Amino acid sequence: FIGEEAPRASEAQIKRDNHHDSIMLVQKDETSTWDIVGAMWANEEDAGVQMLGCISIEKRVTEGGGEATIIPAAVSGVTAIVNAMKNHPNEPAVQERACSALLALSPSDGKREVSFAASGAVASIVSAMQAHVSDAAVQEMACCALRKIVAQGGAERATVVASVSGFTAIVNAMGAHPGEGAVQKEACKALEVMTGFPDANLPDLPGMQTAPLLQMAKEKFPYCREAVDVVLTRLS
């Protein structure tokens, strides 16, 4: 009626609308990485927005290619991805997609103001592995991300991974998923890269535990043989 106030939307309705708008925004091809990151920060508690935001950042980086795309995306994107991982530690889908996005952004580590150590990216990847030991997808993607980060950053990054128990997490991944070829492959390749820097400050890998796991991977999955032989030689 004339003069009457229109009914106000409930707080729950507003939240649902904001969720829907943010979900749609981060999935649009025309949305910039900057706007995706903004939506992630504005919806920190929304696991769906965080997961889809990680997927979209990765998509833009992989499709764009080259430092001209990767570094600007990493400058704003790495901290947003790490924040997603910290806010949703019990959501394996968020953790997996975040690890995948960090993998795509790994060539930017150490360039401009991007640091996968200072931002907590390395520690967050290892935390994801520790929290989701039974999830093969998380373990595979995390191992791959750690391998690429160390390959990019060399001895310094290998030392950082070791300092947050990354080596133990990789070995645990092998023990938890003996029948998952993808996990075994990425874990073996990660250990090969990480043990390849004599100047790195690495822990003494427990040979009594690690060697049998590596030997099992070698026997069960032929594509692991080369990496396993290299790591076993370094452990001996």
Side-chain angles (χ1 to χ4, degrees):
F1 296 101
I2 298 176
E4 290 187 1
E5 291 187 5
R8 295 181 178 180
S10 67
E11 183 176 348
Q13 182 61 49
I14 292 174
K15 287 184 176 180
R16 284 195 295 270
D17 290 344
N18 288 340
H19 165 79
H20 178 267
D21 291 345
S22 297
I23 288 288
M24 297 302 293
L25 176 68
V26 298
Q27 293 185 93
K28 290 181 179 178
D29 289 338
E30 62 268 25
T31 303
S32 68
T33 301
W34 182 261
D35 287 337
I36 293 170
V37 169
M40 291 175 70
W41 282 110
N43 297 272
E44 293 178 282
E45 298 180 358
D46 193 318
V49 173
Q50 302 304 309
M51 181 189 71
L52 292 170
C54 289
I55 291 173
S56 294
I57 290 173
E58 178 187 1
K59 180 180 179 183
R60 276 150 186 75
V61 169
T62 54
E63 290 182 353
E67 289 190 359
T69 300
I70 295 174
I71 294 178
V75 168
S76 60
V78 169
T79 53
I81 294 166
V82 170
N83 189 59
M85 298 178 81
K86 290 180 178 179
N87 282 330
H88 301 279
N90 298 320
E91 294 286 349
V94 173
Q95 301 297 317
E96 179 195 351
R97 300 316 308 182
C99 287
S100 186
L102 291 173
L103 167 63
L105 294 170
S106 62
S108 69
D109 188 21
K111 298 177 181 177
R112 284 175 57 177
E113 61 263 45
V114 180
S115 171
F116 276 46
S119 66
V122 172
S124 294
I125 292 169
V126 175
S127 293
M129 297 178 74
Q130 294 168 336
H132 302 281
V133 176
S134 63
D135 192 306
V138 172
Q139 300 301 314
E140 176 190 353
M141 195 55 62
C143 285
C144 190
L146 291 177
R147 172 172 61 85
K148 285 296 185 71
I149 291 168
V150 173
Q152 170 72 19
E156 182 181 349
R157 282 297 178 262
T159 299
V160 171
V161 171
S163 72
V164 293
S165 302
F167 278 77
T168 302
I170 294 170
V171 173
N172 288 342
M174 296 183 71
H177 301 279
E180 292 286 347
V183 175
Q184 298 296 315
K185 176 183 177 181
E186 291 303 333
C188 290
K189 289 169 68 176
L191 289 175
E192 179 186 13
V193 171
M194 292 179 191
T195 57
F197 299 98
D199 295 334
N201 184 14
L202 306 180
D204 292 329
L205 287 176
M208 292 296 290
Q209 175 189 2
T210 307
L213 290 173
L214 288 166
Q215 193 63 44
M216 185 184 303
K218 176 182 176 179
E219 294 172 358
K220 196 167 187 177
F221 305 104
Y223 43 78
C224 294
R225 288 176 182 171
E226 183 176 350
V228 168
D229 286 341
V230 171
V231 177
L232 287 175
T233 299
R234 292 170 180 167
L235 289 178
S236 61

